[in-house]
Amino acid sequence: FPRSIYAKSAIEKLATAIANDRSAGIAAQLSEFADTLHHADVSSRQVLFVALARGALTKGNMSVAAVAAREIQTLSGDTSILAQQARLYSAAANAPTQAAAAALKELRQLSDVAFEPADLDILNAAKAVAAFVDGKKFESEKSETEAQIAELEATNDRSLKLHGDLADTVARVTKAV
């Protein structure tokens, strides 16, 4: 199968079908599926999971992308381009989540890697998404802080008015005496 002229097309179709699957538990099923592929050669599994991670990310299926990234990491060495792709896909899957700040940090560290154009597109898009999500988190914190400052200023204004009213009263009483 790996040397078949139809292999690439079959892998792409399989990856697309899985990436498009939004059913509950697809990530768990994918992990089980990965276990059944242990007999396939490593290269074929790598190609499958790279295609799957890319497809899942472009379709917004982050749970599938995260599982595919873990499988790529398992199949790659620590310094290979596949390991860098695994880091990319994992961070990209976390970009629209509460882990956006950590994802953005990881994505920035990957900026110097010589990725293929498809991966560069994922890197740039994921950085933009993570920055947006992290910025929104910051904006909501900023808005909360601004609201607290406004409340303190209003309290201060009321205190100054009371202080002014008290000073006026003291001045009138002093003048009357």
Side-chain angles (χ1 to χ4, degrees):
F1 178 79
R3 290 176 185 77
S4 166
I5 59 172
Y6 303 107
K8 183 177 179 186
S9 176
I11 288 171
E12 288 172 359
K13 286 179 182 178
L14 177 62
T16 300
I18 294 171
N20 286 330
D21 191 339
R22 300 275 182 187
S23 60
I26 186 63
Q29 292 172 357
L30 181 57
S31 292
E32 290 174 19
F33 174 67
D35 291 341
T36 65
L37 292 177
H38 70 276
H39 65 279
D41 66 290
V42 173
S43 176
S44 294
R45 288 185 286 164
Q46 290 169 339
V47 169
L48 172 64
F49 287 109
V50 166
L52 184 54
R54 283 180 182 159
L57 286 168
T58 59
K59 298 292 184 185
N61 198 337
M62 300 308 163
S63 61
V64 169
V67 171
R70 282 193 300 274
E71 291 300 323
I72 295 166
Q73 185 64 47
T74 301
L75 296 169
S76 67
D78 290 338
T79 59
S80 72
I81 189 68
L82 281 171
Q84 302 304 324
Q85 285 175 303
R87 288 176 57 205
L88 168 63
Y89 303 148
S90 180
N94 287 322
T97 68
Q98 293 294 330
L104 184 57
K105 182 179 177 184
E106 181 75 9
L107 292 163
R108 286 180 176 152
Q109 291 174 355
L110 293 168
S111 292
D112 295 333
V113 177
F115 286 121
E116 297 174 25
D119 287 337
L120 286 174
D121 290 344
I122 289 171
L123 175 65
N124 292 329
K127 282 197 295 191
V129 168
F132 178 78
V133 171
D134 192 44
K136 283 294 184 189
K137 193 180 340 171
F138 175 73
E139 286 297 321
S140 68
E141 291 169 3
K142 183 176 156 186
S143 296
E144 187 176 310
T145 302
E146 287 173 347
Q148 290 171 346
I149 289 170
E151 185 179 321
L152 288 173
E153 287 174 345
T155 302
N156 190 30
D157 289 345
R158 286 190 300 270
S159 294
L160 288 174
K161 182 172 179 354
L162 287 173
H163 181 66
D165 291 345
L166 181 61
D168 289 344
T169 303
V170 169
R172 273 184 274 147
V173 169
T174 306
K175 193 177 194 182
V177 174

